[in-house]
Amino acid sequence: MKGLAIKPENLRPEEPAFLTAADARRIEAAEEYGALRYAQAVQPDYPEWGTCWEQICGGHMVFVARRAPVGRAQGLGFSGKISPEDIQRVEDFYFRHESDAQVDVCPYADPSLFESVNQRGFQVAEFNQTLARWVLPQERFAPPAEGIEVRQVRPEEALEWSALLARVFMQDQAPQYDRFFLPWATGHPLSLVAFVDGKMAGVAGGL
């Protein structure tokens, strides 16, 4: 069943957004370029990690460091068919760095992507759900409640911002990842922080 494209100007906020393959590609690109920009940010400071990236089949393969949470092949299957040889190229890229070969797949990608990863013996490691919502020009939102401030994170808050993200995502391993999110902390308009009564209580990042 094909997705139905609805232009935002004809959409009411309460209506569902039926995504097309082009919409899905934009969402996948946020993950892809988040990893790419992270690699580009850390490469000059940590040359011993061997951080690198390559374009492949309309997407990117990113390697940051061994056992790093960031670094997979993303964005494949939106610009044409994928062959088992393409997936072998992914394997070769990561195996050169003694790292697992991981490929993000999207239901809207060309079916050849799924056929090719199956032929190469890949297995599902996890499922990630993405929710999408139109934000329409005519919408009006309530102001923040009293005592709550939400704004872009400032450079002097970057370390605290990163450490809070580490506590949320890494839990018991948080101390060793307290600086991990720093490359995403500043320079992006959607790197946000929330304060409750002057205390940092929530953080978010996006592209």
Side-chain angles (χ1 to χ4, degrees), residues 29-140:
E31 292 281 344
E32 175 189 352
Y33 281 91
L36 180 61
R37 290 180 182 182
Y38 187 94
Q40 292 169 339
V42 301
Q43 187 189 54
D45 296 328
Y46 302 96
E48 69 274 14
W49 289 1
T51 301
C52 61
W53 54 87
E54 289 184 18
Q55 292 186 359
I56 181 171
C57 300
H60 281 88
M61 300 181 289
V62 173
F63 172 79
V64 172
R66 291 185 63 191
R67 292 183 290 277
V70 175
R72 299 189 296 274
Q74 297 171 308
L76 282 68
F78 288 98
S79 61
K81 293 189 177 299
I82 302 295
S83 69
E85 290 73 24
D86 294 322
I87 302 303
Q88 185 170 2
R89 181 181 160 197
V90 173
E91 296 173 33
D92 293 342
F93 175 83
Y94 287 101
F95 292 169
R96 284 199 303 271
H97 299 284
E98 300 180 349
S99 181
D100 292 341
Q102 300 180 73
V103 181
D104 277 8
V105 298
C106 173
Y108 286 83
D110 190 276
S112 61
L113 173 60
F114 307 98
E115 296 168 4
S116 296
V117 293
N118 284 337
Q119 287 186 39
R120 294 299 304 171
F122 279 65
Q123 296 181 343
V124 175
E126 64 180 10
F127 290 97
N128 293 307
Q129 303 297 326
T130 300
L131 303 180
R133 180 193 186 281
W134 294 116
V135 179
L136 307 178
Q138 67 269 28
E139 286 190 75
R140 296 294 177 266

Side-chain angles (χ1 to χ4, degrees), residues 161 164 192-195 199-204:
W161 184 92
L164 182 52
L192 305 176
V193 60
F195 292 90
K199 182 179 179 180
M200 189 179 294
V203 294

